[in-house]
Amino acid sequence: MSKTYVEPVHAGEFLLSEGAGKISREAIALAAGVALPAGQVLGQVTASGLLTAYDPNAEDGSEAAKCILFAGVPASDEERRGRAVVRLAEVTESLLTGLDLDAEKALASHFIIVR
């Protein structure tokens, strides 16, 4: 019997274009929690200021999409560091995790355009 493997999205693979230099990306602080893949849409928890997976049903601030995780991060019981695309970029819809129409509109307000 053969096994089928699914390769995850690689760091930055979802990017079609970004601003010159490093203007599109920033270092970020992520809340403790489950592993997050590259291309995960993120929201910001109002109380802590930490980023976490975008959740349209939340009521803690993370219901508003803010940016996209550049490279995957492992699960952790502690706050994590990462990098995110926060502005001036075009991204591939099919390589994003957690994207819905509201998130797409919110990202557009940060000049992150979904193609």
Side-chain angles (χ1 to χ4, degrees):
M1 225 194 259
S2 65
K3 292 184 180 182
T4 302
Y5 293 96
V6 177
E7 192 167 343
V9 175
H10 295 279
E13 183 179 0
F14 59 88
L15 279 169
L16 291 171
S17 68
E18 61 181 321
K22 297 178 183 176
I23 196 166
S24 296
R25 303 182 209 173
E26 286 188 8
I28 58 168
L30 291 157
V34 300
L36 299 173
Q40 173 70 55
V41 177
L42 301 173
Q44 189 170 32
V45 178
T46 305
S48 66
L50 298 174
L51 293 161
T52 190
Y54 162 73
D55 179 358
N57 299 313
E59 295 180 359
D60 62 358
S62 65
E63 69 274 12
K66 185 165 180 90
C67 57
I68 303 170
L69 188 62
F70 182 80
V73 294
S76 176
D77 292 334
E78 298 179 9
E79 182 180 316
R80 303 167 277 183
R81 299 283 297 159
R83 295 203 66 76
V85 174
V86 299
R87 70 182 76 77
L88 299 175
E90 292 177 292
V91 297
T92 304
E93 178 179 13
S94 64
L95 296 177
L96 300 180
T97 300
L99 183 72
D100 63 13
L101 186 57
D102 289 335
E104 186 173 345
K105 289 178 184 177
L107 291 172
S109 73
H110 297 282
F111 302 100
I112 300 172
I113 308 303
V114 176
R115 301 278 188 218

